[in-house]
Amino acid sequence: MNRLHQFLLIGSFLPLCWLGMMAVHELGHVLAAWGTGGGVERVILHPLSFSQTFVAPNPQPMIVVWSGPLVGVTLPLLVWGVFYAARLPGAYLTRFFAGTCLIANGAYIGAGSLGRIGDAGDMLRMGTPMWVLWLFGLLTAPAGMLLWNGLGRRFGLGEARGRVDQRAAYVSASLLIATVATMLLLSK
């Protein structure tokens, strides 16, 4: 029975982290667009596609494009910091989520620069030097791995032998269902 809760936690929390990472990243673009006098035409947040934000007019495209990954790593770190400082239950989940956001945004910008894809391609076309994108990736992705380090037992791995917090498993599964439902409803 322990493994059931472990599978539920891992099987729901990994996709929840991915979807949450996309949402926080796009939130950065949206907030920057609004903050610089731009307009948000459309945001694509769908569980079966990559997220995207379309901004027009976009008076400060460099700020808008960089705000996705910057907010995408900073906001999750702040949330984890609050959970950690307040010793709230589930702090390890917010730590894992922050690590996921650091790794995903770092890889997206750092490795994306090589193929000039997505935000990384836009950054390069707007004049950001390649080394800046690589530096962002080299700082964030390993930091995310450091945040993940030591969390295995909380997810039932190793000596934990499948034991996890059952409440965390149910909350994670419920949040995943709610997130997917919301994304599907908003994408129509």
Side-chain angles (χ1 to χ4, degrees):
M1 193 63 172
N2 285 338
R3 294 289 181 188
L4 174 66
H5 291 111
Q6 178 190 26
F7 291 137
L8 182 62
L9 178 60
I10 294 172
S12 63
F13 198 64
L14 289 176
L16 180 62
C17 284
W18 178 258
L19 297 175
M21 177 278 302
M22 289 195 309
V24 174
H25 180 101
E26 297 311 321
L27 176 64
H29 291 312
V30 168
L31 293 175
W34 289 341
T36 60
V40 176
E41 289 184 332
R42 183 173 174 213
V43 177
I44 297 174
L45 275 175
H46 192 278
L48 299 178
S49 68
F50 287 105
S51 59
Q52 255 184 307
T53 299
F54 298 92
V55 177
N58 192 353
Q60 296 291 329
M62 185 71 86
I63 293 172
V64 171
V65 75
W66 269 104
S67 292
L70 290 174
V71 170
V73 299
T74 305
L75 186 57
L77 283 171
L78 290 172
V79 169
W80 169 59
V82 168
F83 270 69
Y84 178 78
R87 297 183 181 192
L88 296 172
Y92 70 97
L93 295 170
T94 59
R95 178 177 160 187
F96 187 90
F97 176 61
T100 301
C101 291
L102 284 160
I103 293 166
N105 279 285
Y108 176 53
I109 298 304
S113 67
L114 300 174
R116 297 180 177 268
I117 59 168
D119 290 346
D122 293 342
M123 292 168 181
L124 292 169
R125 282 188 288 282
M126 287 184 240
T128 303
M130 179 91 65
W131 69 266
V132 173
L133 280 67
W134 292 351
L135 181 62
F136 181 83
L138 287 172
L139 291 174
T140 56
M145 297 294 272
L146 284 174
L147 285 179
W148 277 0
N149 189 43
L151 291 178
R153 67 178 177 79
R154 301 304 297 258
F155 291 91
L157 303 174
E159 292 178 12
R161 294 190 178 105
R163 289 185 306 273
V164 298
D165 181 344
Q166 294 178 15
R167 292 168 301 177
Y170 293 126
V171 167
S172 178
S174 299
L175 285 173
L176 178 61
I177 291 167
T179 300
V180 169
T182 301
M183 286 180 160
L184 291 173
L185 286 172
L186 294 177
S187 67
K188 291 186 180 220

